[in-house]
Every structure is written in structure tokens, then in C-alpha cells.
Amino acid sequence: MPTPYQSPISPGRSWYEDTAGPRPEYPALDGSTSADVVVVGGGFTGLSAAAHLAKAGTNVVLIDAHRFGDGASGRNGGQLGTGQRGSLDEYEAEVGWERAKALFDLAEEAKAHLLEFASVNNIEIDFIPGQLSVAHKQRYVDDYRQYADYLRERAGYRHISFMDREETAWRVGSTRYFGGTRDLGTGHIHPLKLVVGTARVAAAAGAKLHERTKALKVRNRGTKVIVETPGGTITADKGFIATNAYNDGLEPESTAHIMPIGSFIGATVPLGADSPVLPGGESVDDSRFVVRYFRKSRDGRLLFGGREIYAVSDPKDIPAAIRRQISEVYPALKDIEITHGWGGYVGITAPRKPFVREVMPNVISAGGFSGHGVMLSNFVGKLYAETVAGNRNRLKLFEDLKVPAFPGGGRFRSILLFLALNWFALRDRI
Ligand SMILES: Cc1cc2nc3c(=O)[nH]c(=O)nc-3n(C[C@H](O)[C@H](O)[C@H](O)COP(=O)(O)OP(=O)(O)OC[C@H]3O[C@@H](n4cnc5c(N)ncnc54)[C@H](O)[C@@H]3O)c2cc1C
């Protein structure tokens, strides 16, 4: 039997890889070429941009250093969420109601767009509706109640309701949480199926897709954008950098603003039809700063994500670390078999807002969706295509967000973040 493929940039073989169906390979770039737009990075952001650009008739070349989805996009928790990563009231306090609401509406459109894109292009993404956001400490319960009221009354978002402790226990299938909200206007998906499908759509529309083609350098020459790879040089009018947490120094502005943070998921064996775990099929995220997120797959497995503590390296035994976390929420599953354990790198920014910026003439970089990128990264790819077509107004809403670089440089920066995040991890426990 051939050795199963393992992403060279993210640890562990994911359950998604075993269930995504055929994952066509795209050839490495062999020879120099030119295009209207060159896209670097084949996760949701880059693939969505390529699909929308190609559909609009733009000549686009997309390269990825590895295989599409090997970064965060093929390996994440699959939760769509609602709104931006921060709450609408925080945005309102910072940028005023009009812009905050425009960003909220954009996120709502992102959600609808993702589902519609999959549907019209016949991509089966295993969408399951519903999300529970739950308080792991009593002191947070009132915040959830107030936020549900605020979203309903101020933003007219009617899909969300408050859950008391009893309802939360029944819907989660665990007495571990104190209350929360139930949002029926969102849900969760199989992310790698979306990656594979989006690549198929982009290729069918005429985008030239290349895997195993690493950008070694991105630079300007006159009005042109030049991307150098081992197989040849790509010369284009515009460039889009969609390398997110995996940028690794390719473009210094992106690296300075987007920090990679490891996050890990375990998949259990199917729990069985009589399991009390998540009887309504919703996904869950909790109030910890080091958030726990979990859901059931279509075939009844618990896919449980999180990490115990921020560390510089990946945990040696992902299934054991995840089993410990599962048993805190579901003591009856303390010995459950975990068939898959894997991880990936979330791109976060200091204020947890996306980083979208023109980093050199005619080159825009986008990433740092801070754990909220399933719907937003796909949509930012579409907004980039709109920008190339002449309408930058909507991408501008993201470009205008204040996203400072992380303090410190190189190794010092990672150590500062390590200390800060461990402080928050400690606070989650008290
Ligand atoms: C474990 C985990 C769980 C998550 N859960 C959720 C969730 O439930 N909900 C949610 O909204 N978000 C979640 N996220 C975040 C979400 O997955 C990301 O926001 C989203 O996938 C970002 O997509 P992207 O295309 O910007 O980046 P990525 O998918 O990371 O793609 C970047 C690509 O760039 C390529 N690349 C890097 N350098 C080069 C180079 N020099 N040349 C060519 N290619 C290069 C990489 O190979 C990679 O394929 C999670 C992330 C992780 C890791």
C-alpha cells in the first residue's frame, strides 16, 4: 500500500484527508510564464481569489509550495461563526455603528456566499446548521445573554437565542458549561471538501494552478510583479499574497503582522446514535481564551479541537492531549478511541482582526483571520477579485482596520507572545 500523504507543514494526518474523496494533483510550475494576476498560497483565500478572478475572465496563475489545503484551510474546525472575530459591540465602540454594521453585514454575506458558492458549483461540503457558544465560567453567562439581546435588537439578527444552564447541558450533552447562546444562522462544514471543490472550480474557469511550487521571492520590476520559483519566474500586473500563518518570511510585512499559533484536533470513533453528545448537531465554541471547539461529523464522530497550553513546539502525542480535554467536558468518553490527531497554524493578528494591506506596489496581502477565517478568508478572496475588476470599496473596509505589527522582532516576538498567551491560558483556569 502506498504511504498516505502527509502535509509537510502541518502535523498529523487529518480525518478530513481520509474522507474528502478524490484530491486531484496539480503540476508544479515548469518554465517561466506571465499572467494578469499571480496568487501565492492555495488555501481558502488564494483559491477563492483564483476562482473568482478566472470566472471574471482574468488570466490568473496560482502557486502553492505544497498541496492545496495543507495549511489551515484543509485542516480546521470547519465552524463558520457569525460576524467578525470580535463582537459587534466591540467594533461599534471602536469604529462607530455604521462601519461596525457594514463589517457585520459583510460577514453575513460571506456566510451566505460560501454556502451558495458550494451549492451552485456542486461542492458537497457536509454543511450542518447550528452553533452553540458556551460559558465555561459562571461569570461569563450574563455577557452571553446581553450579547444575544444586543444582536437581536440592535443588529436585527434573529437567529440567536440565550440558553440557560439546563438547556446548555442538554444541547451540549454535558453539565460542564453554565449557559450560552444558540445560533441557528450558521453552522459547520468539511473544510477539505471545500478546498478541493474550489480548486476544481478555479481550474475549470481557466486559472492555472500549480502545487509544489514555492515562491522564493516576491518583488517589483517597473510596474510588474515578479514571483520567483524553482521552476521559473511568474511576471504579472498584480500579485495577491495568501500565505497567512505559513508566510515564513516570504514577505516581511505579512510576517510582522500575522503570528502562527498551533491548534490541534482529534477525531473519535463514531459515538453511536444513542449518544447524548450534541443531539442537535450544532458545533460548539467556549469562552476560554484558549478556545475549545468541537462538533460531530456527519458519521457521528466527535471532532474536538483546542490545546492545553501555548508551547513553542507541537505536542508529541496529539490524541492523548485531546483525549484529556474531551474527558473534562465528557467524562464518559475518557477512554474513547481517537482515530486521528492533527494540527495546523492559525494566523492571528494582535487585535484579532484580519490583516489586508497593499504591501508593495500592486501586491495585496491578506490573512490573520484569527481563528475566524473559514467564511472570511473565502470572502476576502472574492473581494480581492472585485478589487482587480475595479471596485475596491468592500476590500477597503478590511484594509482600513487598525492592525499594528506584533511588538519585537524574530525570536523575541515569539517569546513575548508565548508569555502573553500562557498568561491568558492560566486566566482561563481561575
Ligand atoms: C486547527 C485549526 C482549526 C481552525 N478552526 C477554525 C474554525 O473552526 N473556524 C474558522 O473560521 N477558522 C478556523 N481556523 C482558521 C482557518 O482555517 C483559517 O483562517 C483559513 O483556513 C485561512 O486560509 P488561508 O488560505 O488564508 O491560509 P492557509 O489555508 O493556511 O493557506 C496558506 C497557504 O500558503 C502556502 N504557502 C506558504 N508559503 C508559501 C510560499 N512561499 N509559496 C507558495 N505557497 C506558500 C501554504 O502551503 C498554504 O497552503 C482554524 C485553523 C486551524 C489551523
Side-chain angles (χ1 to χ4, degrees):
M1 218 171 99
T3 321
Y5 175 76
Q6 166 67 53
S7 165
I9 49 171
S10 308
R13 181 171 175 76
S14 85
W15 174 77
Y16 301 130
E17 278 157 14
D18 285 352
T19 51
R23 193 176 167 193
E25 301 201 23
Y26 297 87
L29 181 69
D30 185 14
S32 294
T33 187
S34 60
D36 299 331
V37 179
V38 54
V39 177
V40 182
F44 287 148
T45 310
L47 287 169
S48 165
H52 287 97
L53 285 163
K55 277 185 171 235
T58 305
N59 177 4
V60 53
V61 173
L62 178 149
I63 59 169
D64 193 287
H66 305 285
R67 296 198 59 196
F68 300 148
D70 275 0
S73 296
R75 308 169 65 84
N76 56 61
Q79 303 196 16
L80 302 186
T82 288
Q84 302 289 333
R85 167 70 163 74
S87 62
L88 179 57
D89 51 342
E90 279 166 29
Y91 270 88
E92 180 177 4
E94 193 182 321
V95 299
W97 173 248
E98 212 171 293
R99 278 181 58 207
K101 181 65 167 50
L103 282 159
F104 183 84
D105 290 346
L106 215 55
E108 277 299 281
E109 197 184 327
K111 205 162 43 177
H113 166 75
L114 188 150
L115 298 178
E116 199 195 322
F117 180 84
S119 164
V120 300
N121 291 296
N122 294 316
I123 308 172
E124 175 47 82
I125 53 170
D126 297 356
F127 175 71
I128 302 174
Q131 177 167 25
L132 312 176
S133 296
V134 294
H136 81 292
K137 298 278 182 197
Q138 177 65 45
R139 64 175 182 266
Y140 298 132
V141 172
D142 274 348
D143 295 346
Y144 281 96
R145 188 197 310 273
Q146 283 160 17
Y147 193 54
D149 289 346
Y150 171 87
L151 277 188
R152 292 174 69 85
E153 285 156 23
R154 182 95 166 105
Y157 184 77
R158 304 256 161 242
H159 309 289
I160 195 163
S161 56
F162 174 72
M163 300 185 297
D164 62 14
R165 189 166 188 177
E166 200 184 336
E167 182 180 351
T168 304
W170 183 76
R171 293 202 182 282
V172 178
S174 163
T175 53
R176 174 68 190 77
Y177 293 105
F178 295 83
T181 56
R182 182 172 184 233
D183 184 348
L184 292 178
T186 186
H188 49 106
I189 65 162
H190 187 306
L192 188 55
K193 288 188 177 178
L194 182 60
V195 166
V196 171
T198 307
R200 173 175 55 74
V201 172
K208 294 178 193 77
L209 305 183
H210 299 285
E211 292 179 314
R212 298 184 168 105
T213 303
K214 182 172 180 154
L216 304 172
K217 196 166 180 149
V218 180
R219 62 186 167 88
N220 289 117
R221 190 176 62 211
T223 58
K224 295 289 184 187
V225 177
I226 309 288
V227 175
E228 291 167 15
T229 82
T233 298
I234 305 159
T235 305
D237 295 329
K238 293 185 189 327
F240 187 47
I241 297 181
T243 51
N244 206 354
Y246 295 82
N247 183 275
D248 198 21
L250 172 69
E251 191 286 305
E253 282 288 295
S254 312
T255 308
H257 287 81
I258 303 170
M259 177 82 79
I261 295 291
S263 187
F264 303 94
I265 303 180
T268 68
V269 289
L271 299 182
D274 55 350
S275 165
V277 171
L278 298 169
E282 300 95 336
S283 59
V284 182
D285 67 331
D286 76 9
S287 51
R288 290 164 190 271
F289 185 85
V290 186
V291 65
R292 305 264 155 98
Y293 52 97
F294 46 98
R295 64 193 186 104
K296 277 199 302 191
S297 60
R298 275 256 170 104
D299 67 350
R301 289 161 196 272
L302 181 63
L303 308 184
F304 195 101
R307 72 178 296 167
E308 263 179 25
I309 195 151
Y310 286 93
V312 185
S313 56
D314 298 334
K316 286 198 174 46
D317 185 348
I318 297 172
I322 294 294
R323 190 183 291 105
R324 268 197 301 279
Q325 296 184 8
I326 291 177
S327 66
E328 284 170 21
V329 180
Y330 298 112
L333 300 183
K334 71 178 175 21
D335 296 318
I336 189 84
E337 185 189 342
I338 300 204
T339 58
H340 298 71
W342 71 95
Y345 294 92
V346 184
I348 64 162
T349 63
R352 300 289 199 274
K353 297 185 173 82
F355 171 76
V356 181
R357 196 163 295 174
E358 185 155 350
V359 288
M360 58 181 91
N362 295 322
V363 178
I364 290 179
S365 175
F369 302 101
S370 304
H372 201 68
V374 171
M375 64 161 165
L376 285 184
S377 60
N378 279 286
F379 200 61
V380 164
K382 175 180 156 48
L383 296 185
Y384 176 72
E386 274 182 23
T387 302
V388 171
N391 175 8
R392 197 165 177 169
N393 293 345
R394 300 196 322 152
L395 192 72
K396 193 102 182 34
L397 280 169
F398 288 107
E399 289 181 75
D400 286 347
L401 292 172
K402 284 197 186 69
V403 179
F406 280 97
R411 218 177 121 63
F412 186 53
R413 186 178 81 123
S414 318
I415 292 166
L416 277 183
L417 186 80
F418 170 75
L419 293 173
L421 293 177
N422 275 306
W423 157 246
F424 282 114
L426 184 70
R427 233 182 44 167
D428 281 341
R429 299 207 179 112
I430 50 180

